Amino acid sequence: MKNSSNHSYREEDQPKKESPISTMDSRFNQTLRNVQGLLKGRTIPGKILLTRRSDPIDDLSSQENSPSYQRSFSSNDAGTSDRMEKAEENQTPSKPNSNANASKLKSSTSQPEIAVKEIQKSTMGARATDSARLTKFSKVLSGTTIILEKLRELAWSGVPPYMRPNVWRLLLGYAPPNSDRRDGVLRRKRLEYLDCVSQYYDIPDTERSDDEINMLRQIAVDCPRTVPDVSFFQQEKIQKSLERVLYTWAIRHPASGYVQGINDLVTPFLVVFLSEYLEGSVESWLISDLSPDKLSDIEADCYWCLSKLLDGMQDHYTFAQPGIQRLVFKLKELVRRIDEPVSKHVEEQGLEFLQFAFRWFNCLLIREIPFHLVTRLWDTYLAEGDALPDFLVYIFASFLLTWSEELQKLDFQELVMFLQHLPTQNWTHQELEMVLSRAYMWHSMFNSSPSHLAS
């Protein structure tokens, strides 16, 4: 898209029909209207469609009270079920007392003509959507050769939990798209991992260099600190698995070696691949319920998927981590363009973006949101593929500006404390979807028009 056309979507160019926009919600509503005009008549494959439905009537159940964001899929997906999906795709459960959230997320334009019957119909449609969505995943995954682009379109909006292990292996390129080769490749890669562990980990310290000994000690210190609020990760066997994966990866990637934060990146893979064998919530899992062979396969899958993920962001973990520093600078510029009051306030208080955003990029937000939401966030991460590093900038801008109003009221010390302990502990999928929807819209507006971000 050319820069000249994008100028029409700048906030300052919009007609001033009402008082100046000061709150984040108002700015977001304006962004919604801008992007609706930009994308009118088009579909957004596998991503958020930029409209909101009116708030449901109060006497519906708490699940039905959750505002929802409509989604659209590629033009290949036609038919009645697709139209239902466009209208009802992303219905997420809300907290029992979500009136405050609902009012905060209200659309600037309501649709009072919607009657109770129509809302009940839409609720039925949402349940049907689940079935339609599963059918689409099943159809894509059942092919002799999986078309990865179609899988990415579907996965961007979330993967059904029981399909997630297979989908993640495919999205990362660890499992081949050709079904005839898949089992053989996985078997070979798992044996290769065992050979690496035998060669690099299962040896006495006398055969290691001083640097390798120090690295192994640092990993051993960091493993008990990994996701400390989830007791499952405190089991000794899990920590040993984590240690083996991290040390083996570090030895085989000497350009970076082990960097604190990589330990967090293994945890989503561990949970997803363990879910193939363990049922119930993570808190109830016991590693002793797994045979050594299964645990070995899971470990190998974690190792290879971690390797594939980090292959696309190698300079994030080399000396001085230049890749992260570059993205933090882009984040600062994007926030300045989207929300100048916040950007100006942070600058006036003397707070550098590196002081809080470095950890976000280093750990991919794992430490910032409840752990039960991490795998849903990573569905989108992995669906982005090679484009992930650049898209992270938009996700993190959306994440930060969730608290636009609050941030402008805090002084330096309060900003530091707030950003180190963000109030996300009660977040549900609803808040996460809001972050992702904003990120996609801003990416659509700005990524192909870098002049908008120039100082």
Side-chain angles (χ1 to χ4, degrees), residues 121-141:
K121 264 190 194 175
S122 73
T123 306
M124 293 172 63
R127 286 193 288 270
T129 292
D130 294 336
S131 174
R133 188 162 166 72
L134 289 174
T135 300
K136 287 186 176 184
F137 267 105
S138 298
K139 183 178 179 181
V140 170
L141 292 171

Side-chain angles (χ1 to χ4, degrees), residues 324-334 353 455:
I324 290 180
Q325 295 200 50
R326 184 176 63 252
L327 293 183
V328 170
F329 176 78
K330 287 185 176 180
L331 174 64
K332 181 179 178 179
E333 289 297 294
L334 183 63
F353 271 64
S455 299

Side-chain angles (χ1 to χ4, degrees), residues 86-118:
K86 286 178 182 178
E88 300 298 332
E89 175 54 30
N90 189 34
Q91 193 129 1
T92 53
S94 64
K95 291 174 279 189
N97 182 14
S98 63
N99 290 338
N101 286 335
S103 63
K104 190 174 183 180
L105 297 174
K106 271 183 184 175
S107 173
S108 58
T109 57
S110 62
Q111 300 175 16
E113 68 276 9
I114 294 182
V116 177
K117 186 186 292 186
E118 291 176 85

Side-chain angles (χ1 to χ4, degrees), residues 142-347:
S142 63
T144 305
T145 300
I146 290 169
I147 301 172
L148 290 178
E149 192 53 41
K150 287 187 176 181
L151 186 60
R152 289 188 192 283
E153 289 176 5
L154 286 172
W156 202 99
S157 303
V159 180
Y162 72 94
M163 294 182 176
R164 195 169 269 142
N166 287 330
V167 170
W168 280 21
R169 292 188 192 103
L170 288 160
L171 291 177
L172 284 160
Y174 168 46
N178 189 315
S179 60
D180 294 337
R181 297 179 54 234
R182 200 167 302 145
D183 289 344
V185 168
L186 292 180
R187 190 161 48 247
R188 178 173 57 80
K189 298 297 279 184
R190 288 164 179 169
L191 287 173
E192 186 179 337
Y193 170 73
L194 286 179
D195 288 342
C196 291
V197 170
S198 175
Q199 183 178 350
Y200 302 121
Y201 182 84
D202 294 333
I203 59 174
D205 282 352
T206 53
E207 296 182 25
R208 303 185 209 274
S209 68
D210 289 345
D211 286 345
E212 289 169 352
I213 290 172
N214 291 333
M215 185 167 63
L216 182 56
R217 285 176 181 164
Q218 184 61 57
I219 291 171
V221 167
D222 286 349
C223 284
R225 299 172 178 171
T226 305
V227 199
D229 52 339
V230 178
S231 60
F232 170 74
F233 288 102
Q234 305 310 309
Q235 296 181 50
E236 186 178 354
K237 281 189 176 180
I238 284 294
Q239 293 191 9
K240 275 295 176 188
S241 286
L242 196 56
E243 187 177 295
R244 282 191 291 270
V245 168
L246 291 168
Y247 184 76
T248 304
W249 184 88
I251 291 293
R252 296 196 72 193
H253 295 80
S256 63
Y258 173 70
V259 176
Q260 286 180 297
I262 296 179
N263 53 314
D264 292 274
L265 306 187
V266 183
T267 56
F269 295 125
L270 259 176
V271 167
V272 166
F273 297 137
L274 281 164
S275 71
E276 288 186 283
Y277 304 102
L278 301 174
E279 296 181 352
S281 69
V282 175
E283 292 289 350
S284 66
W285 287 355
L286 291 173
I287 202 66
S288 56
D289 293 343
L290 279 180
S291 69
D293 287 345
K294 286 179 180 176
L295 183 56
S296 175
D297 288 349
I298 290 165
E299 238 184 74
D301 289 359
C302 290
Y303 169 82
W304 290 113
C305 286
L306 176 71
S307 298
K308 293 286 187 180
L309 175 71
L310 296 183
D311 281 349
M313 48 182 75
Q314 287 186 20
D315 62 350
H316 287 211
Y317 300 98
T318 52
F319 177 73
Q321 300 180 254
I324 290 180
Q325 295 200 50
R326 184 176 63 252
L327 293 183
V328 170
F329 176 78
K330 287 185 176 180
L331 174 64
K332 181 179 178 179
E333 289 297 294
L334 183 63
V335 171
R336 181 192 60 78
R337 176 64 184 89
I338 293 171
D339 196 327
E340 190 173 357
V342 167
S343 175
K344 188 175 179 181
H345 180 72
V346 169
E347 186 176 343

Side-chain angles (χ1 to χ4, degrees), residues 67-78:
S68 65
Y69 303 91
Q70 300 173 345
R71 296 175 186 270
S72 170
F73 293 87
S74 69
S75 56
N76 296 329
D77 301 321

